[in-house]
Amino acid sequence: MKVGLPKEIKDNEYRVGLTPAGVRALTDAGHAVFVERDAGAGSGFETELYQQAGATVLGSADDVWAEGEMIVKVKEPIAPEYPRMREGQLLFTYLHLAPDRELTKQLLERKVTGVAYETIEDRKGTLPLLTPMSEVAGRMAVQVGAQYLEKMNGGRGVLLGGVPGVPAARIVIIGGGVVGTNAAKIAVGMGAQVTIVDKNLDRLRELDDIFLSKISTLASSAYAIHGAISEADLIVGAVLVPGAAAPMLVTRTMLKDVPNGAVIVDVAVDQGGCIETTRPTTHSNPTFYEEGVLHYCVANMPGAVPRTSTFALTNATLPYALRIANRGFVDAIGSDPGLKLGVNTYAGKLTYEAVAEAQGLDFTPLDDVLGGASSQTISSARSSS
Ligand SMILES: NC(=O)c1ccc[n+]([C@@H]2O[C@H](COP(=O)([O-])OP(=O)(O)OC[C@H]3O[C@@H](n4cnc5c(N)ncnc54)[C@H](O)[C@@H]3O)[C@@H](O)[C@H]2O)c1
């Protein structure tokens, strides 16, 4: 298969869809990879590394998109990229189509096969291509929080670990999933006093087993959250209700009892946030105050550490890219029902129900578009998974 790797062009996006190691895996398997010059520069991968890995380097994005039967990216295409997409081309990237009418329209009109990282599932029903970015954001949340707690950065001037004779900072992490657990690891490592709030008692039991006496766990309720944050130096928002907006768990009224200069890092901002006062911010203008509390609500936190994020992302995406390239699209999705769930658009049809619902458009099951023979392959693969 011919695989295209264009440079990302979204504002402040320095990640890239494949590392040189990923390119090497594809070329070793007999595929041709076309890389746009400087595609990996923002992540610290010089063009020569891709050449050494067997890629053909092309000077323009137009050329890469023209060559690639499968385009591997990080972010959803934006307007300048729309005309480059063509019928039958496979686009493997984060798409986040539900709120993006224009991109959905473009993918359908241009009959692009849109395989979205964020809707691929593994056998446990979790989202393996979202997990690495949650790991990055969770670990970053405490790092960023520590930085903004410093006085000259606008915080209340508290050192996370304290010192002998002075108590450590109190961190309340709301949501004990991937983001919350990774935040807790860093916070415990820095010597902070950590409380994790979750509504899932089994999850709290697991966290209690993992961290032993190094953290406190708290069953989620408005009362418990209000009490915990009233003494917090740093609050991390890390909840998720899959497919829904984040539940609003901290109200403006509660914030009036949070110490002045405390910091909120609402990682859940990409789903609307779990703090009433949250609004999305960017890396160039990341913070604002509400009720005397410093808010950091950047919706694409992993973008700040593109090198780590590119490695983490491609560790997770490469096996799928290889499967598609090696087996071809139809056979690849037939052999992996979780990968099949990633197919959002195919041959001009919207094949992911939640996106169709969100946009009030017609949903067509993928099997209906693929036709009889391929449908059989897919349903037999599903029953054996
Ligand atoms: N801002 C960014 O750059 C960035 C990056 C990665 C992930 N995220 C976002 O971070 C959020 C968390 O992601 P995740 O991977 O950790 O999700 P996850 O599913 O692993 O964990 C979510 C946790 O929230 C808990 N929860 C749900 N409702 C709750 C409630 N009412 N009270 C307390 N806990 C509750 C769940 O039980 C679960 O343990 C998501 O919105 C995700 O999109 C943001």
Side-chain angles (χ1 to χ4, degrees):
M1 185 179 275
K2 290 173 157 188
V3 180
L5 181 67
K7 186 174 163 68
E8 294 296 321
I9 57 171
K10 210 168 170 180
D11 183 38
N12 270 309
E13 182 54 67
Y14 298 106
R15 289 172 290 177
V16 61
L18 286 167
T19 59
V23 168
R24 174 70 182 274
L26 285 161
T27 55
D28 279 354
H31 306 293
V33 184
F34 298 88
V35 176
E36 185 180 346
R37 185 172 303 286
D38 290 335
S43 293
F45 303 121
E46 300 311 328
T47 300
E48 295 68 43
L49 294 175
Y50 288 102
Q51 269 165 331
Q52 287 159 13
T56 303
V57 175
L58 299 175
S60 76
D62 284 338
D63 292 343
V64 171
W65 283 83
E67 286 289 350
E69 295 163 298
M70 171 165 70
I71 299 291
V72 181
K73 273 175 56 62
V74 178
K75 296 303 286 181
E76 70 282 357
I78 56 175
E81 295 173 312
Y82 296 161
R84 298 179 182 141
M85 305 191 293
R86 62 167 193 277
E87 182 167 349
Q89 194 169 43
L90 195 155
L91 179 61
F92 190 45
T93 190
Y94 287 119
L95 283 174
H96 296 293
L97 287 184
D100 197 339
R101 270 199 102 87
E102 182 56 27
L103 176 59
T104 308
K105 181 169 159 266
Q106 293 285 340
L107 290 171
L108 294 176
E109 280 178 10
R110 294 172 187 277
K111 301 193 171 153
V112 174
T113 303
V115 183
Y117 293 164
E118 71 274 8
T119 62
I120 291 175
E121 294 186 16
D122 60 18
R123 283 164 190 264
K124 293 171 282 181
T126 61
L127 306 168
L129 303 196
L130 274 188
T131 301
M133 294 305 98
S134 288
E135 290 168 334
V136 171
R139 290 177 183 219
M140 259 188 81
V142 173
Q143 190 173 312
V144 164
Q147 182 194 331
Y148 282 109
L149 273 172
E150 290 174 13
K151 192 75 184 165
M152 67 283 197
N153 292 329
R156 66 190 305 234
V158 171
L159 183 65
L160 278 197
V163 290
V166 183
R170 294 172 200 261
I171 303 188
V172 177
I173 299 170
I174 308 174
V178 181
V179 168
T181 305
N182 279 276
K185 280 183 186 165
I186 302 300
V188 166
M190 291 176 87
Q193 301 181 59
V194 181
T195 300
I196 305 183
V197 183
D198 205 293
K199 66 171 185 183
N200 179 343
L201 293 185
D202 284 333
R203 184 61 194 147
L204 291 181
R205 287 186 185 104
E206 287 166 4
L207 290 167
D208 188 66
D209 286 342
I210 294 168
F211 290 101
L212 300 172
S213 54
K214 291 185 175 148
I215 59 158
S216 302
T217 55
L218 203 53
S220 184
S221 70
Y223 188 88
I225 289 173
H226 192 169
I229 64 172
S230 300
E231 297 185 328
D233 299 292
L234 173 61
I235 301 165
V236 176
V239 297
L240 176 67
V241 178
M248 200 263 285
L249 301 175
V250 175
T251 62
R252 181 181 285 279
T253 312
M254 288 182 193
L255 275 195
K256 295 184 196 299
D257 295 328
V258 173
N260 268 345
V263 174
I264 288 176
V265 179
D266 196 353
V267 185
V269 59
D270 60 344
Q271 296 291 125
C274 58
I275 320 277
E276 186 176 3
T277 43
T278 288
R279 59 173 190 270
T281 60
T282 60
H283 288 294
S284 31
N285 196 7
T287 57
F288 59 91
Y289 285 97
E290 288 282 352
E291 306 298 337
V293 178
L294 187 58
H295 292 51
Y296 172 99
C297 306
V298 174
N300 64 330
M301 292 173 65
V305 286
R307 191 168 166 83
T308 301
S309 300
T310 293
F311 279 120
L313 180 63
T314 59
N315 284 344
T317 56
L318 182 64
Y320 292 99
L322 269 171
R323 181 183 279 263
I324 294 169
N326 289 343
R327 303 177 76 130
F329 170 70
V330 172
D331 197 27
I333 59 168
S335 66
D336 183 345
L339 173 58
K340 186 185 168 201
L341 289 170
V343 184
N344 281 221
T345 61
Y346 182 73
K349 303 289 182 195
L350 197 45
T351 53
Y352 197 80
E353 196 165 8
V355 173
E357 258 173 38
Q359 300 205 8
L361 295 174
D362 288 339
F363 161 66
T364 308
L366 183 57
D367 288 344
D368 292 1
V369 205
L370 284 168
S374 343
S375 313
Q376 274 170 12
T377 320
I378 290 165
S379 44
S380 60
R382 178 189 274 139
S383 56
S384 66
S385 71

